[in-house]
Amino acid sequence: MKSEFDQFNEVFLLEFTGGDQVLRHEILSEFRNNFFQYVRELDANRSDTHQVRQMLHRLKGAARSVGGTAIGEACSAVEAEFFDDTGSAVEGHQTRQAEALDRFLRDCHSFLKNTN
């Protein structure tokens, strides 16, 4: 089953690669390989708010740099559960935060399963 994470901005990719399909494939393959590492690290460090923030931010930037808008937006949504507008950790919402991170990680694992 396809997820929204499978959708990349094709116009962005076309402009970014100059229409070179081989380059497009290489860029997306590299992103997926790195995505796997990000997700593993995020899952392993889920109890460390500082690490969660760093990994979400890195993943968001990596996704957006290759046209992965849906992944970037999902990262932003999870970040909003953990951090306020000033970047300070939001306290007292551990259950909601854990649920948001769980949903995000499920979507990530579904994306990875579909790319193999």
Side-chain angles (χ1 to χ4, degrees):
M1 183 172 89
K2 293 278 186 181
S3 78
E4 67 180 79
F5 284 8
D6 294 318
Q7 300 169 16
F8 284 79
N9 183 329
E10 291 300 328
V11 173
F12 175 86
L13 284 169
L14 180 66
E15 291 174 3
F16 187 66
T17 62
D20 184 331
Q21 291 300 307
V22 173
L23 180 58
R24 178 191 179 283
H25 177 75
E26 289 174 2
I27 288 169
L28 290 179
S29 291
E30 185 66 25
F31 171 75
R32 286 181 176 106
N33 290 337
N34 289 330
F35 185 84
F36 175 74
Q37 289 301 113
Y38 291 149
V39 171
R40 253 181 55 193
E41 288 179 41
L42 184 57
D43 205 9
N45 294 296
R46 62 185 307 134
S47 63
D48 183 336
T49 304
H50 179 71
Q51 286 292 334
V52 167
R53 181 180 189 179
Q54 283 187 320
M55 293 310 305
L56 286 169
H57 191 74
R58 285 175 54 199
L59 181 54
K60 178 175 62 177
R64 288 181 173 167
S65 74
V66 296
T69 308
I71 296 171
E73 293 303 315
C75 289
S76 290
V78 176
E79 279 182 310
E81 291 292 338
F82 281 85
F83 307 99
D84 65 20
D85 292 339
T86 67
S88 298
V90 174
E91 302 295 331
H93 297 102
Q94 288 84 359
T95 300
R96 191 174 76 212
Q97 292 167 341
E99 289 170 353
L101 189 55
D102 285 343
R103 277 191 309 275
F104 177 73
L105 288 169
R106 276 194 306 273
D107 288 344
C108 290
H109 288 292
S110 176
F111 168 72
L112 288 168
K113 182 179 175 185
N114 290 331
T115 60
N116 292 330

